[in-house]
């Protein structure tokens, strides 16, 4: 191929999408809706997808409202405070007991999109465990592959949200927007924050530029990369923070405003939720926390993996011998940090195990459990805990 033809080929390859989908074009594209939504160009504000192929008679059940001029959002009710029943603004409430449709109606989300609500979990997130997280991930995988679903919102508990996000991030692979949200106050509280978070999450899911970004968290007006996000405050509406680079936008005048272009967060596609067995034996992963005067002797009985919540960037007191004991027994060791905004290198300074990168101890625990469930060991743990190319 000569230079001229090579240049022409490259130009068509790079600019071809713009020739068919020019920025600012208002011409509708007649494709199955989810394909149209995914192929619409990033940055286009007036691009249209006509829902001519999805008359209401063909829609799956569960829609609480439908208008053929709107796009379709599925909301997974996943328990937690956003659907909790409590008194006034108390933090004493019963999680997951309210019909999420009540919250959805309060949020007026039917004015924004066609809304389908599916209950996948109806308890406090503190009662989640790995088999339940995998079950939710399977349902997410099925739903995002539904051609009538343009985006998915997971409205659930916030206490164990970072662990659920870690599982979904590593097992579900899609270009569609998946937005996690929740609430600090119960749905029945006077100043309940759930309805606003839910309506913001629906608006975010509808945004063309929310695609190609992996999992997102929408909370208190902030748009965050889910895999870099953690709960930092259990008492105030501004509950979530992110590692550097994880805060990518905010809601302004009911519109998601992104501060960086769309890009998928780094991950190794080791797992696929469709190939993980349904009936699993959950490994025994023990988390040992570093603290002054600690003594972790005797905690290794039956342990499959030891996760150390270390000081700083991976330091462990010499007086505590649990890491050496685990190493002598051949138990895999993963070193995370008890400090939220910390990064632990692949080879931690304590001299033992694999560094967990940016993952906190509880996220590291569920991810290494996945490695054991699928029959992979040390190499899998090393790969899944990566957070960048230079790891």
């Amino acid at each position: 191929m000569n230079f001229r033809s090579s240049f022409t080929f490259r130009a068509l390859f790079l600019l071809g999408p713009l020739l068919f989908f020019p920025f600012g074009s208002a011409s509708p594209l007649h494709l199955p809706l989810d394909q149209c939504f995914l192929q619409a160009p990033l940055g286009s504000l007036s691009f249209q997808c006509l829902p001519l192929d999805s008359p209401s008679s063909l829609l799956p059940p569960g829609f609480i409202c439908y208008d053929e001029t709107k796009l379709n959002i599925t909301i997974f009710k996943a328990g937690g405070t956003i659907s909790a029943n409590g008194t006034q603004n108390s933090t004493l409430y019963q999680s997951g007991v309210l019909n999420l449709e009540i919250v959805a109606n309060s949020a007026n989300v039917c004015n924004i999109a066609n809304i389908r609500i599916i209950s996948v979990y109806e308890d406090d997130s503190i009662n989640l465990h790995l088999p339940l997280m995998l079950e939710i991930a399977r349902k997410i995988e099925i739903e995002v592959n539904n051609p009538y679903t343009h985006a998915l919102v997971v409205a659930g508990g916030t206490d164990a949200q970072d662990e659920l996000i870690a599982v979904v991030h590593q097992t579900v692979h899609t270009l569609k927007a998946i937005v996690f949200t929740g609430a600090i106050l119960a749905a029945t509280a006077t100043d309940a924050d759930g309805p606003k978070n839910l309506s913001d999450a629906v608006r975010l899911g509808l945004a063309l530029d929310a695609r190609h970004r992996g999992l997102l968290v929408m909370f208190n007006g902030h748009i965050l990369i889910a895999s870099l996000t953690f709960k930092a405050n259990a008492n105030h509406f501004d509950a979530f923070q992110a590692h550097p680079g994880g805060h990518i936008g905010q809601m302004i005048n009911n519109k998601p405003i992104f501060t960086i272009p769309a890009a998928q967060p780094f991950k190794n596609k080791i797992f696929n939720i469709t190939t993980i067995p349904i009936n699993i034996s959950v490994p025994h992963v023990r988390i040992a926390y570093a603290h002054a005067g600690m003594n972790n002797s005797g905690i290794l009985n039956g342990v499959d993996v030891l996760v150390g919540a270390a000081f700083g960037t991976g330091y462990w007191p010499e007086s505590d011998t649990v890491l050496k004991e685990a190493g002598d027994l051949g138990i895999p060791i993963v070193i995370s940090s008890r400090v939220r905004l910390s990064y632990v290198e692949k080879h931690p300074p304590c001299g033992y195990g694999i560094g967990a990168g940016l993952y906190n101890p509880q996220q590291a625990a569920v991810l290494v459990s996945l490695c054991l469930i699928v029959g992979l060991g040390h190499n899998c743990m090393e790969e899944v805990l990566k957070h960048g190319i230079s790891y």
Side-chain angles (χ1 to χ4, degrees):
M1 181 181 294
N2 61 36
F3 173 79
R4 180 174 297 176
S5 60
S6 175
F7 177 81
T8 302
F9 173 80
R10 292 178 183 176
L12 286 173
F13 179 79
L14 293 173
L15 299 178
L18 298 182
L19 298 177
F20 293 100
F21 309 121
F23 286 93
S25 171
S27 300
L29 184 65
H30 295 258
L31 283 172
L33 272 178
D34 64 333
Q35 294 181 31
C36 172
F37 199 58
L38 287 176
Q39 292 186 31
L42 295 172
S44 175
L45 299 179
S46 56
F47 190 84
Q48 297 180 19
C49 295
L50 292 183
L52 300 178
D53 65 328
S54 57
S56 57
S57 60
L58 297 180
L59 291 173
F63 280 92
I64 64 171
C65 52
Y66 181 78
D67 178 340
E68 65 179 13
T69 65
K70 293 185 175 72
L71 297 176
N72 305 332
I73 297 288
T74 296
I75 302 175
F76 274 7
K77 175 189 175 184
T81 310
I82 194 169
S83 55
N85 186 19
T87 57
Q88 299 302 319
N89 289 339
S90 172
T91 54
L92 299 176
Y93 47 76
Q94 188 176 1
S95 294
V97 297
L98 285 183
N99 187 334
L100 193 63
E101 186 173 342
I102 297 173
V103 183
N105 289 334
S106 176
N108 295 316
V109 290
C110 281
N111 294 334
I112 309 170
N114 300 323
I115 301 297
R116 182 172 180 240
I117 297 178
I118 300 174
S119 181
V120 296
Y121 180 68
E122 297 188 346
D123 199 355
D124 198 309
S125 68
I126 64 174
N127 295 319
L128 280 171
H129 49 74
L130 187 54
L132 273 174
M133 294 180 195
L134 289 171
E135 181 181 340
I136 293 172
R138 287 188 189 94
K139 292 177 178 178
I140 289 174
E141 171 77 14
I142 292 170
E143 191 59 30
V144 295
N145 285 315
N146 180 346
Y148 298 105
T149 299
H150 301 103
L152 175 67
V153 172
V154 181
T158 58
D159 283 332
Q161 190 177 85
D162 54 354
E163 291 154 90
L164 176 60
I165 284 172
V167 171
V168 177
H169 171 65
Q170 292 289 354
T171 60
V172 177
H173 312 295
T174 180
L175 297 180
K176 292 182 181 180
I178 301 176
V179 184
F180 286 78
T181 193
I184 296 300
L185 293 181
T188 51
T190 305
D191 298 324
D193 57 323
K196 183 64 167 69
N197 286 339
L198 186 62
S199 65
D200 283 349
V202 169
R203 292 180 192 278
L204 176 59
L206 290 174
L208 290 176
D209 279 358
R211 303 159 301 149
H212 305 270
R213 293 182 185 269
L215 310 182
L216 299 173
V217 167
M218 180 75 250
F219 215 92
N220 197 39
H222 299 294
I223 304 171
L224 308 165
I225 295 176
S227 60
L228 298 176
T229 301
F230 55 87
K231 188 175 181 179
N233 196 320
N235 303 106
H236 296 280
F237 293 154
D238 206 10
F240 284 86
Q241 294 182 13
H243 288 273
H247 192 292
I248 60 171
Q250 57 187 311
M251 295 296 292
I252 299 178
N253 296 327
N254 290 326
K255 295 180 182 179
I257 305 299
F258 294 97
T259 55
I260 62 173
Q264 287 277 356
F266 182 85
K267 67 176 175 179
N268 289 290
K269 296 183 179 180
I270 298 174
F271 309 114
N272 187 315
I273 190 63
T274 61
T275 62
I276 296 177
I278 295 177
N279 298 315
I280 61 172
S281 177
V282 180
H284 183 186
V285 179
R286 172 64 67 90
I287 299 176
Y289 278 82
H291 59 88
M294 58 194 286
N295 183 355
N296 284 303
S297 62
I299 69 167
L300 297 177
N301 186 34
V303 170
D304 295 308
V305 179
L306 178 67
V307 175
F311 288 109
T313 57
Y315 292 90
W316 203 263
E318 294 180 359
S319 59
D320 187 80
T321 60
V322 69
L323 298 186
K324 182 180 184 306
E325 293 170 13
D328 291 342
L329 292 171
I331 297 173
I333 302 168
V334 172
I335 301 297
S336 180
S337 176
R338 68 178 206 170
V339 181
R340 292 185 185 273
L341 287 170
S342 293
Y343 180 88
V344 180
E345 296 279 0
K346 177 179 179 180
H347 302 292
C350 65
Y352 291 94
I354 307 164
L358 296 174
Y359 286 118
N360 61 34
Q362 56 269 29
Q363 289 175 314
V366 295
L367 292 179
V368 298
S369 293
L370 285 178
C371 286
L372 297 183
I373 287 170
V374 299
L376 302 174
H378 185 278
N379 290 339
C380 168
M381 296 179 194
E382 188 174 298
E383 286 296 310
V384 79
L385 295 173
K386 281 184 179 181
H387 260 102
I389 301 298
S390 61
Y391 175 80

